[in-house]
Amino acid sequence: MNLKSKNPTLYYLQRAAFYLLVIVIGVYLLAPFFWAVLTSLRSPGDLFLTPTQFIAAKTTLSNYTEVFANPNFQRGLLQSLIVAVGSVAISLLLGAFSAYALGRFRFKGKAIVMYVILAVSVFPQIAVLSGLYTLINNFGLYNNPLGLIMSYLIFTIPFTVWVLTSFVRDIPGELEEAALVDGASPLQTLFLVLFPVMMPALVTTGLLAFINAWNEYLFALTFTSTNRTVPVVIANYSGATQFDQPWGQIMAASIVVTVPLIILVLVFQRNIVSGLTAGAVKG
Amino acid sequence: MTVNTAPKPAKTRGIETARARQAFWLLLPTLIAIALVAGYPLYRTIYFSMFEANLTAPDQKTFIGLGNFWFTTEDGIALGFLQDPQWWGAVKNTLLFTVISVFLETVFGMIIALVVNSAFKGRGFLRTAMLVPWAIPTVVSAQMWAYLYNDSFGLVGRGVLGGVALLASSNEFLGVEQRIWAMIAVDVWKTTSFMALLILAGLQSLPSDMYEAADMDGASKWTQFWRLTLPLLRPALLVALVFRSLDALRVFDIMSVMLGNVSAARTSMTGYARQALIDNQLLGMGSAVSVAVFVIIMVIVVIYVTAFRVKFD
């Protein structure tokens, strides 16, 4: 602050350097995404153009129409939606029960339960891949969204339990005591008293778990053959015709599955940071 | 479920016992689910790691003890994966990937967080921009970068920005060495935001009066960073480091999408395990590799937690 009057040259140099850094960071974070959006709006023939010509080339939505007409992609969207919503719904329900018990009740063995859940959250997925594969086959769930929903619980459950527990701890106890005095059962207390208070936490946790399930690749690639989720479809994208690799369409498909996530993330910005820190920084 | 505590009025103990029982029932579904999707499959993986078995016929298996890990036939043919140089290549590449990318993410994440934490015009915009790479699915960012690296279409791959065709090496074996750096660049781009978000949350919880006192004492910004910010951020930073390292150690998506599963088996431990298990249908061998990956990751967790005294909760 003093620098401005004492040594204006140095002050403005510093400010300029700072804004330069801001611009560099902004470009670094956004340029690859911007280029993907741009590519999705260009016709396949324009991909060879030099960058300046490419930016100036004609905008077209043909990649998007072709992507949406692609049966694999349509199916992928549906599968992803079923699998992500299914596993998030189960995790939120079980997670809310557990969080209520872990955040509000005192009992023997609580620390052990917490450590088991934490241990599962650092599990490498590959460690259960062969065990799950044989189980899923035994139950006839190969290529079935149920098999994926089940396998996704391995990362969605620990996450929801941790985040919701740290949230339940911060809810003032009077609410629940009042319900207990009125003779409410624990389930009534949970559903009628705590759930409404927990709504913001449930939404945030659900959203973060949804993002994780929506993005999952290893299980989806391994446990399905035709009922693939969107990440697997995008990873192995081939257009309607036998092009080499239809980059315009791949980028269009990528944008289609990413934009809803980005919008959700931007809308819930503040909640997400608190959800992430509850889930990651506190453990 | 019984609760044994020091003698208390009978009524309180009755409530405590009842509460403990209720807690048990509330936790039961979660515990069953975890046992079903994590505990039992892990047990089966460990179990199969000691058998020679094919994925298509898991029931026709032969017990071979630790033969999947280390086994040399009478003709001197090494069959255990620990004798396979490709496995050790995958381990080396994964460790390199983890160390370099987590280091760069931490440095870049710190810089971005410090910038966003200071007051300037456009702060809100940068804060929002920060969320974009994090919100993009890993597979999508891998495809985006595969396109950027592509030697006939890509911005980087065509050398437009002084880049080189990182993925276009014609020699599969030589290619891996330089490709790992291309993979690191993708991972750093994708996850620096996550690191920056966590560090930013840590920065905003630091007490501002300490900085005012430090300003009064004439400490430079540089000194303040090293003497105040960094020590106070330590706990948050360490937990973020643990989680990022674990994610990087089990990396698979980026390599699988950008290089294909064959090369992924040379660049990531998970890729190697998956190739043995699914592509080669070797249930026993694949399980053994998975067990090794599990052990390596658990050892690193224990080292982290004890060496840095990371506290959870």
Side-chain angles (χ1 to χ4, degrees):
Chain A
M1 267 169 264
N2 296 330
L3 200 60
K4 196 173 180 176
S5 46
K6 244 193 288 174
N7 191 343
T9 328
L10 188 63
Y11 171 80
Y12 285 110
L13 265 177
Q14 265 188 10
R15 287 315 277 174
F18 181 80
Y19 275 103
L20 190 69
L21 182 63
V22 169
I23 292 168
V24 169
I25 293 174
V27 169
Y28 175 67
L29 293 174
L30 295 179
F33 183 64
F34 168 76
W35 203 252
V37 174
L38 199 66
T39 305
S40 73
L41 296 170
R42 293 290 174 268
S43 69
D46 294 339
L47 293 183
F48 291 103
L49 298 175
T50 63
T52 32
Q53 289 174 321
F54 186 70
I55 292 174
K58 207 165 119 291
T59 297
T60 162
L61 288 175
S62 65
N63 289 320
Y64 287 91
T65 40
E66 282 185 55
V67 160
F68 278 110
N70 184 327
N72 287 332
F73 187 72
Q74 296 169 350
R75 204 188 179 85
L77 279 179
L78 182 69
Q79 289 294 323
S80 276
L81 207 61
I82 294 172
V83 170
V85 169
S87 53
V88 169
I90 297 175
S91 309
L92 278 183
L93 189 67
L94 301 191
F97 285 156
S98 304
Y100 180 40
L102 293 170
R104 275 280 174 255
F105 291 56
R106 274 188 304 155
F107 56 93
K108 237 177 154 181
K110 186 160 122 176
I112 298 172
V113 175
M114 300 285 271
Y115 275 109
V116 166
I117 292 170
L118 187 64
V120 175
S121 73
V122 298
F123 253 41
Q125 277 178 311
I126 190 74
V128 293
L129 194 74
S130 70
L132 265 179
Y133 188 91
T134 51
L135 276 181
I136 283 178
N137 261 341
N138 286 351
F139 286 117
L141 292 178
Y142 182 79
N143 204 27
N144 185 325
L146 270 181
L148 278 190
I149 290 178
M150 194 185 94
S151 62
Y152 285 8
L153 296 180
I154 196 173
F155 55 87
T156 51
I157 283 187
F159 176 76
T160 45
V161 172
W162 268 95
V163 179
L164 291 178
T165 301
S166 73
F167 186 83
V168 167
R169 265 200 218 111
D170 298 336
I171 299 176
E174 287 83 5
L175 269 175
E176 192 203 342
E177 277 159 26
L180 279 178
V181 170
D182 290 343
S185 75
L187 280 188
Q188 282 174 323
T189 317
L190 179 64
F191 278 106
L192 299 176
V193 181
L194 289 177
F195 254 55
V197 187
M198 284 167 77
M199 239 349 153
L202 288 170
V203 170
T204 313
T205 320
L207 176 64
L208 288 171
F210 181 88
I211 290 178
N212 282 335
W214 184 264
N215 293 351
E216 205 284 333
Y217 179 65
L218 178 62
F219 285 166
L221 181 69
T222 310
F223 300 150
T224 58
S225 54
T226 50
N227 290 331
R228 296 177 145 176
T229 59
V230 150
V232 186
V233 171
I234 288 181
N236 304 292
Y237 197 92
S238 50
T241 45
Q242 289 302 312
F243 272 109
D244 189 13
Q245 252 186 324
W247 283 112
Q249 284 184 44
I250 296 177
M251 290 304 119
S254 299
I255 303 305
V256 169
V257 302
T258 303
V259 164
L261 292 189
I262 291 185
I263 291 172
L264 282 172
V265 165
L266 295 185
V267 169
F268 291 100
Q269 258 195 70
R270 304 212 171 258
N271 312 46
I272 279 177
V273 175
S274 63
L276 275 182
T277 46
V281 174
K282 283 188 202 158
Chain B
M1 287 291 283
T2 52
V3 177
N4 296 315
T5 43
K8 271 183 190 173
K11 210 175 168 187
T12 323
R13 200 192 305 157
I15 292 175
E16 293 245 317
T17 321
R19 296 278 280 178
R21 200 180 304 120
Q22 287 159 0
F24 172 76
W25 285 112
L26 285 168
L27 280 169
L28 193 64
T30 300
L31 294 178
I32 291 175
I34 285 181
L36 200 73
V37 300
Y40 188 57
L42 179 66
Y43 158 77
R44 279 177 74 93
T45 302
I46 296 171
Y47 172 82
F48 280 122
S49 75
M50 287 178 287
F51 286 87
E52 191 187 337
N54 195 288
L55 195 64
T56 48
D59 296 328
Q60 295 158 19
K61 54 187 188 294
T62 344
F63 181 78
I64 53 165
L66 296 178
N68 284 318
F69 293 87
W70 193 279
F71 179 72
T72 313
T73 60
E74 285 168 12
D75 309 329
I77 301 167
L79 291 178
F81 75 88
L82 292 174
Q83 290 149 291
D84 180 4
Q86 198 186 316
W87 157 253
W88 293 108
V91 173
K92 199 194 94 194
N93 280 317
T94 308
L95 291 179
L96 183 75
F97 176 85
T98 303
V99 171
I100 306 284
S101 63
V102 173
F103 172 77
L104 290 176
E105 278 160 44
T106 313
V107 174
F108 291 169
M110 182 69 88
I111 294 172
I112 295 177
L114 286 170
V115 167
V116 174
N117 197 38
S118 54
F120 66 95
K121 258 187 209 156
R123 180 183 167 194
F125 172 76
L126 202 61
R127 210 193 144 101
T128 307
M130 215 166 94
L131 289 160
V132 170
W134 175 77
I136 294 178
T138 312
V139 168
V140 167
S141 61
Q143 278 291 34
M144 268 168 49
W145 282 88
Y147 168 64
L148 287 174
Y149 284 148
N150 184 287
D151 57 342
S152 46
F153 302 108
L155 209 51
V156 182
R158 279 189 292 178
V160 173
L161 300 173
V164 284
L166 282 162
L167 298 185
S169 172
S170 54
N171 188 322
E172 271 286 317
F173 287 91
L174 281 177
V176 169
E177 291 302 317
Q178 70 181 63
R179 284 166 185 207
I180 197 76
W181 297 98
M183 303 295 113
I184 290 172
V186 178
D187 192 62
V188 168
W189 179 78
K190 160 97 182 95
T191 45
T192 291
S193 314
F194 176 76
M195 211 56 153
L197 275 176
L198 293 188
I199 295 174
L200 184 63
L203 281 176
Q204 289 176 340
S205 67
L206 298 185
S208 61
D209 45 350
M210 290 182 85
Y211 289 93
E212 282 158 26
D215 272 334
M216 295 280 242
D217 292 343
S220 70
K221 292 280 177 217
W222 188 246
T223 318
Q224 286 180 22
F225 173 75
W226 287 103
R227 293 293 182 79
L228 275 181
T229 313
L230 215 51
L232 287 171
L233 267 184
R234 205 183 107 106
L237 204 55
L238 280 180
V239 180
L241 266 180
V242 175
F243 275 81
R244 273 304 310 142
S245 309
L246 293 179
D247 266 352
L249 283 170
R250 50 195 174 186
V251 66
F252 171 70
D253 307 19
I254 296 179
M255 280 82 164
S256 167
V257 174
M258 296 182 72
L259 305 177
N261 285 335
V262 176
S263 289
R266 275 195 276 276
T267 38
S268 89
M269 300 192 295
T270 302
Y272 184 93
R274 191 184 180 279
Q275 191 189 40
L277 181 70
I278 304 295
D279 301 335
N280 301 342
Q281 305 268 298
L282 299 168
L283 178 58
M285 177 72 87
S287 302
V289 180
S290 304
V291 170
V293 177
F294 179 69
V295 169
I296 291 174
I297 288 184
M298 284 303 155
V299 166
I300 291 175
V301 172
V302 171
I303 292 175
Y304 255 127
V305 171
T306 50
F308 296 123
R309 294 198 200 89
V310 179
K311 285 210 184 71
F312 298 97
D313 187 40

